[in-house]
Amino acid sequence: MVPSSAQKVFYLLIYFCVVSAEAGEKSSEMEWCFSQVKGAIDDEVAEADLISAVEFNYTGELLATGDKGGRIVIFQQNPENKSQPQCRAEYNVYSTFQSHEPEFDYLKSLEIEEKINKIRWLPKKNAAHFLLSTNDKTIKLWKISERNKRPEGYNLRNGPYKDFTSIASLQVPVFKPMDLMVEASPRRVFANAHKYHINSISVNSDNETYLSADDLRINLWHLEITGQSFNIVDIKPANMEDLTEVITAAEFHPNQCHTLVYGSSKGIIRLCDMRAAALCDKHAKIFEEPEDRNSRSFFSEIISSISDVKFSHSGRYMMTRDYLSVKIWDINMGTRPIETFQVNEYLRSNLCSLYDNDCIFDKFECCWSGNDRVVMTGSYNNFFRMFDRGFRRDVTLEASRENCKPQSVLKPCKVSIGFEISIDSVDCNKKILHTAWHPLDNIIAVATTNNLFIFQDKLK
Amino acid sequence: MFGKGHKRKLDEDEAGLEGKALEVAGSCPEGLSKVSYTLQRQTIFNISLMKLYTQRPGEPSLQRRVLINNMLRRIQDELKQDGTLRPLLLPPSPPPDDPLDEGYRQAPPTFGVLVQSQPSALLMGPPPLSPHPMGSPASPNPPPLPSLPPQDCPLEACLTPASLLEDDNMESMENATFSIATPPTPPVSPRPARFQSMEPDIATSRTISANGNTLTISTSQLAREHRVKPEPASVLQAELRLLDPLPTLPSGGSLSPDPPSSSPSGFLSDLALDDVLFADIDTSMYDFDPCTTTTTSTTTGSAAIATAVGGISKIAPVVTADDLIKSLASPYNGPAPQVSSNQPFKIDLTELDHIMEVLVGS
């Protein structure tokens, strides 16, 4: 039966509706394009070049990276290209400085590594930028300021001092423009407050205080005062051999200046309210998921250890990363997470080997997108994973120099989980521990061992 | 890398054993048979021990050590629950101390070894992990193993009479090696009887020592705050440096001075062996007055041990200047730090054990 013209039009309409609907759905899916890669190309990785911290500032204009050699490199978004959607993720080196030096503790005969553990930016208050950087023992507040003017025309000081008796007339020194110079100067050094290794720092929303957390204690500092800090959490037992749990990550709430959370090596997250008491040893709320008896193994405790905890930008949710999964918690409900995403479940059958080569102790970080809809974390083989909370989709992408053509779209990698993946195919030397997401745009920074990859969302 | 397809033997090397366990673990994670489960458990136990005892390059992480220690405790509890626990006299050397930890020391495990010929003791089906370690951090210490006599002062309260320990220790010292590369071999069948007879003595000797300085060997109570100075461990480590194939240990000076090492106390049961071996050593160089006075009421065996120990400690000072100073200084210590002066003796004896083991093993 030959369709009438009216029916043809009808079918055609339906077809177009379907096509456009599909296209609409596709356009909401993010596609990531390669933008830049920073770092050495050669395979020989110098130990000091290992990237150990990545952080965007509050506007996303600056991207700071810290490495194992104690250096900080700050990249700035190219101001000319910011408005062009295709190359808005172009970052150039803005400043490089040595933040921490290796130290030696003579009392304990121990070297203190200069590796930068964490970088946290302060909200911008004036023309200069401020960031906190920490190694295992010492936190430093750095001021990064620009200088593009220089005074010239001194009467006595142009070059060698002139003999004042030879001056016939006076001139007023004036500021003349000069090449832009970015200076980084340490403004505060917060030292000698931690007996154990600092693993986290977090700036409070009051912009006056911040916390630093080591394995057993959390200290509260005032940004202006370096001589003392307050201890607010102390989980050190009276008898050290009773120690079974350590603090692994801590963060302040983004909006409530009295709330902080810390994760532990047992997979427990505790929320503390500083209004309740001076010492927050007793938690206000505890977040712990009951253990799944079916998947219990020798390594259950180790893989449940919290490697990172991050509040959402809204402050309503909290994300935790353990070895195999990412969990989203509602801070009002501590009985179980509201979402759980498996990052690399295929590793579960290889836990013994990963324990043997120590990779089971790797601390992966995680981050939220600016609108809290997508979360991202890294894995092995230079894979990183994104989980879309709204569309319940996840994608695995790879950061490698092979996909390095500008604007080339990253193809999602398919990791087959149907059958066992042998430990040999898991490259534990290529791991992405540190990732960061631009707070206002879909630009991400992904750090492999010694390279920093910057990707941007392909705007349609 | 791992020995695939090796026929598993008692004296198979560690790598082969691990490889087998890893294969088993990797290939059938869910339907683990009893034997493979215990095999995996033993492998993980050995790996954990190696991790703790091997000096790693770079900074040791407290989190990592706590997790490994929890793993060991969990396995230990499981083994105890299984009921196949055999007190295993492991070598005395503590893992390299991270002075950072201020006394957090992993206990040198005195775990038992699974007896191979007791399948009935193995768990049925997928064995549940002990609920104990899953408890809160404030859970009480696991009860101490009734394996080794406690250490206390006076000396006679701690030492099990040499005659009782002698036979057992000869065998146990052969079995227990410091190099954890070889898994501890299961004890032969006549041994259980002797251990049984030993235990009542241990139990009674533990009750004798009632004051706070009691040190029973268990994973939880090992690094108790003690008056013992760190020199025993340094002496021990100095001696161990003589043994080449062993992992290197930090120098004596790197120990934290605050909480003294008390791990050497775990090796009191080894004293008898040294009594047999070194009774004829000339002790004229050292005059350990505090020691001999405290041992007046002991059996002659113990007194011989004390004097033998005095002679034995001559070996240690040769190694480092620190040890020399400390061992020379110890005779001049007053009777007050009795425990501390007793400590070096015990340590030295155990050091000699290791020398013996090396000699016997070669």
Side-chain angles (χ1 to χ4, degrees):
Chain A
M1 177 182 120
V2 176
S4 69
S5 53
Q7 278 172 322
K8 274 188 198 162
V9 167
F10 178 67
Y11 289 137
L12 216 54
L13 263 175
I14 293 176
Y15 171 73
F16 277 126
C17 283
V18 167
V19 165
S20 58
E22 274 179 0
E25 210 181 65
K26 270 190 197 147
S27 66
S28 64
E29 212 177 297
M30 280 190 290
E31 278 187 309
W32 292 95
C33 304
F34 170 84
S35 175
Q36 286 175 310
V37 59
K38 312 281 186 192
I41 302 174
D42 45 85
D43 287 333
E44 291 272 328
V45 179
E47 186 87 355
D49 290 338
L50 282 151
I51 297 176
S52 54
V54 180
E55 191 78 5
F56 279 101
N57 76 336
Y58 278 80
T59 60
E61 183 203 354
L62 296 178
L63 173 62
T65 62
D67 64 20
K68 201 165 177 211
R71 289 172 304 220
I72 290 185
V73 180
I74 302 180
F75 301 93
Q76 186 193 37
Q77 200 174 16
N78 194 331
E80 294 151 16
N81 291 344
K82 251 195 265 196
S83 48
Q84 295 180 27
Q86 297 309 316
C87 38
R88 64 195 196 278
E90 191 179 308
Y91 282 79
N92 303 314
V93 176
Y94 182 64
S95 172
T96 306
F97 56 94
Q98 185 77 29
S99 170
H100 285 76
E101 298 277 357
E103 286 166 29
F104 196 79
D105 184 342
Y106 295 98
L107 260 183
K108 299 176 182 170
S109 292
L110 269 188
E111 193 179 303
I112 300 172
E113 270 194 5
E114 69 274 29
K115 175 169 81 97
I116 306 292
N117 290 338
K118 283 286 185 323
I119 294 174
R120 289 287 183 263
W121 289 93
L122 266 59
K124 199 159 182 238
K125 278 195 264 198
N126 52 32
H129 301 273
F130 288 87
L131 63 80
L132 284 169
S133 70
T134 182
N135 68 347
D136 283 337
K137 295 286 188 186
T138 307
I139 306 137
K140 292 189 185 178
L141 176 69
W142 287 91
K143 174 180 176 183
I144 297 106
S145 49
E146 293 182 6
R147 187 198 292 264
N148 58 359
K149 290 186 275 286
R150 174 176 59 210
E152 280 176 27
Y154 283 105
N155 291 291
L156 289 178
R157 269 200 282 147
N158 279 338
Y161 271 100
K162 295 185 206 160
D163 183 16
F164 66 89
T165 53
S166 66
I167 295 174
S169 65
L170 291 174
Q171 58 181 356
V172 176
V174 291
F175 274 106
K176 294 261 174 73
M178 61 179 250
D179 291 337
L180 178 67
M181 204 166 71
V182 180
E183 297 171 324
S185 58
R187 305 301 288 178
R188 306 270 187 278
V189 176
F190 305 91
N192 301 325
H194 285 279
K195 205 163 267 179
Y196 302 96
H197 290 180
I198 299 176
N199 52 53
S200 315
I201 49 174
S202 176
V203 184
N204 204 348
S205 50
D206 63 5
N207 288 341
E208 283 188 0
T209 56
Y210 74 96
L211 66 80
S212 59
D214 65 25
D215 290 318
L216 296 179
R217 299 191 177 98
I218 301 181
N219 292 340
L220 183 72
W221 299 85
H222 193 284
L223 284 165
E224 299 290 331
I225 299 168
T226 60
Q228 64 180 17
S229 71
F230 288 104
N231 175 247
I232 48 177
V233 174
D234 188 343
I235 64 167
K236 183 175 174 181
N239 211 349
M240 272 300 268
E241 69 237 21
D242 296 338
L243 180 64
T244 55
E245 194 174 8
V246 296
I247 298 172
T248 53
E251 198 181 50
F252 265 122
H253 192 278
N255 306 323
Q256 300 167 13
C257 57
H258 47 78
T259 304
L260 66 103
V261 292
Y262 65 93
S264 80
S265 58
K266 288 202 170 173
I268 302 172
I269 304 101
R270 292 175 176 86
L271 185 144
C272 298
D273 192 328
M274 295 199 292
R275 298 171 296 187
L279 279 180
C280 297
D281 287 353
K282 201 161 168 293
H283 53 264
K285 200 169 178 66
I286 198 161
F287 299 82
E288 187 179 4
E289 185 173 19
E291 202 187 351
D292 179 17
R293 296 207 142 242
N294 296 332
S295 57
R296 219 181 195 179
S297 77
F298 288 108
F299 307 103
S300 292
E301 189 197 0
I302 299 183
I303 62 169
S304 72
S305 174
I306 304 290
S307 57
D308 194 17
V309 62
K310 289 262 168 57
F311 275 106
S312 65
H313 290 94
S314 62
R316 170 91 192 270
Y317 302 103
M318 171 177 78
M319 165 166 58
T320 59
R321 174 75 157 98
D322 49 66
Y323 192 61
L324 296 180
S325 66
V326 163
K327 294 180 183 171
I328 314 279
W329 303 77
D330 184 329
I331 63 168
N332 300 315
M333 181 170 81
T335 49
R336 63 177 192 280
I338 56 171
E339 290 152 38
T340 304
F341 301 109
Q342 299 301 332
V343 179
N344 33 25
E345 184 68 16
Y346 52 86
L347 294 180
R348 195 180 283 272
S349 50
N350 294 318
L351 288 178
C352 200
S353 311
L354 293 164
Y355 180 63
D356 192 29
N357 63 15
D358 266 1
C359 284
I360 208 173
F361 300 108
D362 286 338
K363 296 184 81 172
F364 290 94
E365 291 177 7
C366 52
C367 59
W368 293 86
S369 69
N371 56 8
D372 291 343
R373 286 194 47 176
V374 187
V375 297
M376 172 168 70
T377 187
S379 179
Y380 293 111
N381 295 80
N382 282 349
F383 288 158
F384 59 100
R385 303 257 282 146
M386 287 192 198
F387 304 95
D388 190 322
R389 301 172 60 211
F391 289 107
R392 295 265 165 209
R393 271 196 295 257
D394 62 271
V395 67
T396 306
L397 301 169
E398 187 186 1
S400 86
R401 284 194 172 260
E402 281 140 25
N403 310 329
C404 270
K405 274 181 261 174
Q407 313 306 324
S408 66
V409 175
L410 284 182
K411 289 203 183 64
C413 309
K414 283 204 165 38
V415 181
S416 43
I417 35 181
F419 45 91
E420 302 283 323
I421 290 188
S422 93
I423 188 66
D424 300 323
S425 59
V426 177
D427 190 344
C428 294
N429 293 324
K430 291 192 186 171
K431 49 191 147 193
I432 292 179
L433 298 172
H434 310 284
T435 56
W437 201 306
H438 192 292
L440 304 169
D441 197 352
N442 284 333
I443 300 172
I444 55 174
V446 169
T448 59
T449 327
N450 65 331
N451 284 336
L452 182 73
F453 287 80
I454 302 175
F455 303 104
Q456 68 184 26
D457 177 24
K458 183 168 181 175
L459 292 176
K460 308 267 180 341
Chain B
M1 180 185 163
F2 296 113
K4 294 190 183 207
H6 277 189
K7 185 171 178 183
R8 183 165 163 263
K9 296 185 182 110
L10 275 183
D11 55 347
E12 193 177 27
D13 66 307
E14 171 78 344
L17 198 63
E18 274 178 25
K20 203 99 175 83
L22 288 171
E23 277 178 25
V24 167
S27 56
C28 48
E30 280 170 357
L32 285 179
S33 65
K34 286 174 268 182
V35 174
S36 63
Y37 175 81
T38 51
L39 179 63
Q40 188 189 18
R41 180 168 63 188
Q42 189 66 38
T43 306
I44 295 172
F45 170 70
N46 295 334
I47 296 174
S48 307
L49 280 182
M50 267 208 302
K51 282 186 181 304
L52 285 185
Y53 280 72
T54 308
Q55 180 81 314
R56 293 181 82 227
E59 297 280 340
S61 152
L62 183 62
Q63 180 203 0
R64 179 174 170 270
R65 284 145 57 99
V66 165
L67 289 172
I68 296 172
N69 204 27
N70 290 349
M71 173 83 86
L72 284 170
R73 282 186 196 175
R74 203 174 306 131
I75 295 179
Q76 178 200 0
D77 290 342
E78 243 187 61
L79 292 172
K80 267 180 6 192
Q81 283 190 350
D82 287 355
T84 60
L85 190 66
R86 291 267 170 234
L88 176 67
L89 303 170
L90 281 178
S93 149
D97 285 329
D98 181 13
L100 186 73
D101 298 342
E102 270 199 347
Y104 176 72
R105 262 175 205 89
Q106 301 85 355
T110 53
F111 301 114
V113 172
L114 287 180
V115 178
Q116 235 187 348
S117 57
Q118 294 184 9
S120 59
L122 297 176
L123 296 168
M124 302 300 184
L129 290 181
S130 161
H132 174 78
M134 300 297 180
S136 67
S139 62
N141 297 335
L145 297 177
S147 58
L148 294 166
Q151 157 209 322
D152 192 14
C153 64
L155 195 60
E156 68 275 15
C158 320
L159 289 179
T160 311
S163 52
L164 275 177
L165 291 172
E166 190 177 319
D167 294 334
D168 248 336
N169 281 324
M170 290 295 277
E171 284 174 336
S172 70
M173 279 305 107
E174 280 165 25
N175 289 337
T177 60
F178 173 65
S179 59
I180 304 173
T182 60
T185 54
V188 298
S189 43
R191 292 192 74 225
R194 282 204 211 98
F195 262 96
Q196 291 303 315
S197 66
M198 196 171 117
E199 274 171 345
D201 287 302
I202 298 163
T204 45
S205 59
R206 191 190 300 135
T207 55
I208 290 171
S209 50
N211 59 359
N213 283 336
T214 301
L215 200 78
T216 47
I217 305 312
S218 71
T219 53
S220 56
Q221 297 175 6
L222 201 66
R224 189 173 295 254
E225 297 277 327
H226 215 278
R227 282 182 295 154
V228 176
K229 297 198 287 285
E231 72 226 34
S234 66
V235 163
L236 169 69
Q237 288 167 354
E239 191 275 343
L240 284 169
R241 252 181 260 119
L242 298 174
L243 306 173
D244 269 342
L246 303 172
T248 56
L249 295 165
S251 64
S254 68
L255 280 176
S256 165
D258 298 340
S261 161
S262 44
S263 49
S265 56
F267 316 106
L268 302 176
S269 53
D270 305 330
L271 289 171
L273 178 64
D274 305 293
D275 176 32
V276 173
L277 294 170
F278 298 102
D280 57 347
I281 283 186
D282 176 28
T283 60
S284 59
M285 191 172 153
Y286 293 91
D287 184 23
F288 287 102
D289 285 327
C291 179
T292 49
T293 52
T294 59
T295 58
T296 46
S297 55
T298 61
T299 63
T300 49
S302 307
I305 291 171
T307 51
V309 167
I312 288 161
S313 60
K314 267 193 283 185
I315 298 172
V318 178
V319 184
T320 63
D322 282 350
D323 306 327
L324 181 63
I325 291 166
K326 285 163 191 162
S327 57
L328 285 175
S330 53
Y332 302 102
N333 284 345
Q338 271 182 357
V339 179
S340 57
S341 60
N342 289 339
Q343 285 295 351
F345 311 148
K346 299 181 183 61
I347 307 313
D348 300 330
L349 293 173
T350 56
E351 294 163 20
L352 293 164
D353 280 340
H354 296 304
I355 297 176
M356 278 307 301
E357 283 160 26
V358 170
L359 293 172
V360 166
S362 59

